[in-house]
Amino acid sequence: MSTPEGPRRVRVTSPRTSAARRPPAPTGTREIDEQTRLGEIYMHSLVQSQLRLTLAVIAGVLVILGSIPLLFWLVPPTRTLLVLGLPLPWVILGILVYPVVYVAARIYVRQAERIETEFTEFVGRQ
């Protein structure tokens, strides 16, 4: 009995396998991964940008919320003013503070994402 021969196997290779390989171009992400001096500078830049944003948002919130006691001190009738049957200080501290904090948080998140996107695009181009 003879065994039937199946289809012959063919090995497919790329025509460029024998071509000289170029070393990969240095990128910013590689600099960061390898913790080179340039990578440290990139990361320091990112951290500084995030720190500036954080301090700006905190300062803005402190100015807005810090002005509430100043308002009550400079304008004494506001301490006893009623709004919808509630004292104005309660309305401000119990209700109006939350939208201020929410808006500050939204601003922070949007700007932090923008900073990270710009950083990623910049490092990817390097």
Side-chain angles (χ1 to χ4, degrees), residues 28-109:
T29 54
R30 181 196 281 155
E31 297 290 338
I32 293 169
D33 290 342
E34 293 177 0
Q35 298 179 349
T36 64
R37 179 70 183 133
L38 182 58
E40 288 178 18
I41 291 170
Y42 286 156
M43 290 307 298
H44 182 72
S45 165
L46 175 63
V47 170
Q48 289 298 314
S49 297
Q50 291 172 335
L51 180 62
R52 275 192 302 276
L53 172 62
T54 301
L55 294 176
V57 171
I58 288 173
V61 169
L62 285 177
V63 166
I64 292 169
L65 297 182
S67 66
I68 294 171
L70 189 61
L71 169 72
F72 297 142
W73 182 66
L74 293 174
V75 187
T78 58
R79 296 181 219 161
T80 57
L81 185 65
L82 295 178
V83 176
L84 302 173
L86 295 172
L88 181 62
W90 285 28
V91 171
I92 291 174
L93 296 174
I95 298 171
L96 297 181
V97 167
Y98 295 103
V100 170
V101 172
Y102 177 78
V103 168
R106 291 285 299 180
I107 290 169
Y108 178 79
V109 168

Side-chain angles (χ1 to χ4, degrees), residues 8-25:
R8 271 187 57 176
R9 291 184 136 181
V10 177
R11 182 174 179 186
V12 178
T13 60
S14 169
R16 294 192 46 111
T17 55
S18 62
R21 295 185 185 240
R22 284 190 292 169

